Each structure stands twice: as C-alpha cells, then as structure tokens.
Amino acid sequence: MAHQTGITASDELNKLIGDALKGILRLLQVHIDQDTEKLIPGEFKQPSGTWEDDFDTLVQPVLEDQRPCYIFYRLDERNSYDNHLWIFLAYTPEDAPVREKMLYAATKATLKKAFNSAVVIDDVAATSKSELTLDGYRKHVETANAAPPLTRDEQELKLLHEAEDHVDIGTTTRQSHLHGVAFPVQPEALQALCNLKTHKTQYVQLSIDINSEEVLLQDSLESIGPNDLSAHISDTNPRYHFYLYKHTHEGDYMESVVFIYSCPGYKSSVRERMMYSSCKQPLIDSVESQIALKVFKKIEVDSPDEVNEGFLMNELHPKTQAFRPKFDKPKPPVRRGNNRKK
C-alpha cells in the first residue's frame, strides 16, 4: 500500500484497532509520533452509555490545546454485516504548529485505510474543542444536509414508514424485510439479471432512484474482463454490480456470480449510503428467490481501483497457506549448561 507521508500504524495501534472493530471500545485516539514516524494510540475508552451519552464525557477530556489528534468514535448501530459503525474526528487546533497541521492532513487517509474506511460513515474536521461536542457534531450534520446517525432499528422504521404497506415482491411493489427494505425492480433490470443467469450477459449494474425508490438498470455488458470492471464502477455514487466471473482455479474451470456493492464513502450523501446499505440484502434475497440466480460471493468496496482479477481471485479463493508459518510449532528451547559430546 502506498502511504502519502510514509507514516504507518504501530503494532500497538493495530492491536487496539482490532479491539475497536470488535466493539470493545467506544473511543480510540491516535497521534503521530514524529520521531518514529508511526501512528500511535493515545487515549482509548470503553462505552458506559449510549453514543450520545458518552460523547462529551469521552471526547472533550482527550483534546489538548495546540496538539492535533485523530479520534475514532463508535456509534451504537451496525451495518448489514453486523459491523459497528464509526465516525472519524480530525482535530487540528488553529494554534497548532503549521508543520503538524500539514502532517496530520496528509496522513489522514492512511489511518482511515488502516482502520477500515468501510465502517466509517462520517468524517468531521474540527479546529476548536467546541466543534467536537455533541451539539457541535449535530450542527455539522445539519450543515451537511444529512440526518444525524440513526440506529439500525430507527433507520429501518423510517424507511418502513415511507414505504407502502404491501407484501408482494415484484416490479411494482416494495416489501419490508427484517434487515431493510426491498424496492421494486425495474423490468429491464430483472431481464438483464435473467440474461446474466443464462450467460447471455456477463455484467449487470443496478442503481436506486432515490426519489421514486426503484431499482434501475444502470449498465449491462455481454462480455467484460475482470481487469476492466473498475472503469465501470462509479467513484461518486453507490452501485450494485452482478458479475459472472469466468476463471480457472487449481486446474478447474469455474463460472461464479459475484455481487459487488460499491460505496465511495463521503463523496455520496449519508441518505444515499444508508438507502443502498439497507436495500442490499433484500435485493440479493429477491434475485435468488425470484429468478434463482445464485450469488457465490458478496463483496463490498469503497474504491473502483480495488477491483481487478487478483482481488476477485483472492476473495473467491483466499490463499490461507500463506499465513500458516505463523502457527508453526515453536522450536524446543536451546539447552544450556554442560553439553556432553558422544
């Protein structure tokens, strides 16, 4: 991975990131150690109440005058993969040294990548402590014309209230699901997926019309290689992709349908990200039940550049052998003292 400043996460920070992603922590603060050129952990705190209750009591005490820092702050809701969702706070006081300001700005992307940017749903840049209060965060959300972070149940309830009270599945109605909402699928989109099932097409891209709440056909190709997929993935809007991946693995020829959910993070609105995330699994369920199109692998990406043949092969056929040496039986201890020669 290329790093903008050459600064990487320390082993200690990587361990704490693992704990954070397991839901153990509410807050993880990160500093840059300029002597070692490493990202190192600062304060880290466990939850004691809701994310709103904890916000001011946990965030404010770790902020220092003239010293920038990063903070990952965990919300209470999870995504459809049951992963906790986070907000990223970049604190750069106005009176901090100019060199530190530049260093923290240039290293932010590296840290977010190390943390797992797919679970970070909001990004706040602050120059004063008052901006990083709960009220300050709410003002940030209002300024961005987005709703405050909702729990998964609250988001589903909001979408369900907007939906019609129907139980049919098809091209004209939408249905409520336990983990989201299934919007009606445009007939052209269903036909394209049927063509993919019968191998008449190799790639189908779908989008959601936010206003009409309908799944639309965005693109369809009869043939496309895995290394050409990135050119068809938007870097500004979420999309769903169904790809018939034709490949050979360990001498066997295979044809596997791969579902890719691309979501380019902060370039799209919170509402759009939440809607795509909520509709993703119901769409897959409907496709598998209605037209019997079996999805072999589901993948999430936040950048078109991630998608190529090597990426798909590793997702479908992980090379687990590469990690086995770490679990080798340890060598016996070296004997000390008198060693007799025979």
Side-chain angles (χ1 to χ4, degrees):
M1 183 193 305
H3 300 283
Q4 294 167 302
T5 58
I7 294 175
T8 57
S10 66
D11 292 340
E12 184 182 5
L13 177 59
N14 282 327
K15 181 181 182 302
L16 284 171
I17 287 175
D19 291 341
L21 294 175
K22 292 176 184 176
I24 297 174
L25 302 180
R26 171 74 76 191
L27 176 147
L28 174 59
Q29 183 188 41
V30 180
H31 291 294
I32 297 177
D33 187 328
Q34 298 186 46
D35 294 331
T36 61
E37 295 189 342
K38 291 286 186 181
L39 288 160
I40 60 172
E43 299 287 338
F44 49 94
K45 305 291 184 180
Q46 295 183 349
S48 59
T50 67
W51 76 269
E52 293 171 307
D53 294 336
D54 290 344
F55 200 96
D56 289 339
T57 57
L58 296 185
V59 174
Q60 286 294 307
V62 305
L63 302 177
E64 302 178 55
D65 295 331
Q66 300 183 336
R67 187 181 186 190
C69 71
Y70 307 111
I71 295 173
F72 290 100
Y73 189 84
R74 178 171 67 78
L75 304 176
D76 294 328
E77 70 268 30
R78 301 168 183 255
N79 61 17
S80 58
Y81 289 90
D82 206 33
N83 297 320
H84 291 282
L85 298 179
W86 295 74
I87 55 178
F88 179 75
L89 312 176
Y91 174 61
T92 310
E94 291 184 355
D95 54 355
V98 174
R99 184 177 184 278
E100 288 192 24
K101 289 182 180 180
M102 296 176 62
L103 190 61
Y104 273 79
T107 310
K108 183 171 73 171
T110 297
L111 174 60
K112 288 171 65 178
K113 188 72 173 179
F115 187 85
N116 182 5
S117 57
V119 298
V120 179
I121 65 168
D122 203 0
D123 189 329
V124 182
T127 58
S128 67
K129 294 180 181 179
S130 62
E131 295 176 79
L132 295 183
T133 61
L134 182 59
D135 286 341
Y137 177 67
R138 284 175 171 158
K139 290 178 182 177
H140 155 80
V141 173
E142 292 173 2
T143 302
N145 295 320
L150 302 176
T151 66
R152 183 171 60 184
D153 289 342
E154 289 171 338
Q155 178 64 21
E156 290 170 3
L157 184 61
K158 174 178 177 293
L159 292 172
L160 290 175
H161 282 177
E162 295 174 352
E164 298 172 356
D165 187 18
H166 293 301
V167 295
D168 303 331
I169 300 178
T171 61
T172 60
T173 60
R174 55 186 171 184
Q175 177 195 24
S176 64
H177 284 243
L178 179 62
H179 297 297
V181 173
F183 289 148
V185 181
Q186 182 189 47
E188 291 84 352
L190 278 179
Q191 184 59 54
L193 291 171
C194 289
N195 290 342
L196 186 137
K197 178 189 174 184
T198 57
H199 297 192
K200 293 179 181 177
T201 61
Q202 190 175 3
Y203 171 75
V204 174
Q205 180 181 145
L206 305 180
S207 62
I208 295 178
D209 186 314
I210 303 299
N211 295 321
S212 66
E213 296 184 344
E214 183 181 17
V215 178
L216 308 178
L217 176 63
Q218 190 72 27
D219 195 6
S220 178
L221 298 172
E222 292 184 2
S223 178
I224 182 174
N227 290 327
D228 297 322
L229 285 174
S230 60
H232 294 265
I233 299 177
S234 172
D235 60 359
T236 56
N237 299 102
R239 291 288 186 266
Y240 302 130
H241 313 263
F242 291 84
Y243 179 57
L244 179 61
Y245 182 33
K246 303 176 182 180
H247 62 287
T248 302
H249 176 64
E250 295 182 347
D252 295 327
Y253 177 73
M254 300 180 177
E255 295 184 344
S256 308
V257 175
V258 180
F259 173 83
I260 302 174
Y261 167 44
S262 61
C263 184
Y266 311 106
K267 293 182 180 179
S268 56
S269 68
V270 172
R271 182 191 177 197
E272 191 176 25
R273 298 200 305 269
M274 294 295 282
M275 186 167 288
Y276 271 83
S277 178
S278 179
C279 296
K280 177 175 74 275
Q281 191 56 48
L283 172 64
I284 296 173
D285 293 342
S286 296
V287 167
E288 291 187 332
S289 63
Q290 288 186 68
I291 62 176
L293 177 62
K294 181 63 178 176
V295 174
F296 183 81
K297 181 70 177 181
K298 293 177 285 188
I299 304 171
E300 282 195 29
V301 299
D302 55 15
S303 171
D305 296 336
E306 296 180 54
V307 183
N308 53 45
E309 184 162 24
F311 173 79
L312 292 177
M313 283 294 291
N314 188 57
E315 288 290 327
L316 270 65
H317 311 289
K319 297 180 180 179
T320 55
Q321 293 286 341
F323 297 93
R324 287 191 177 180
K326 292 185 178 180
F327 302 97
D328 286 344
K329 183 177 179 181
K331 296 180 180 180
V334 178
R335 291 174 177 262
R336 298 184 181 277
N338 295 328
N339 292 324
R340 293 182 299 175
K341 297 182 179 179
K342 294 184 179 180

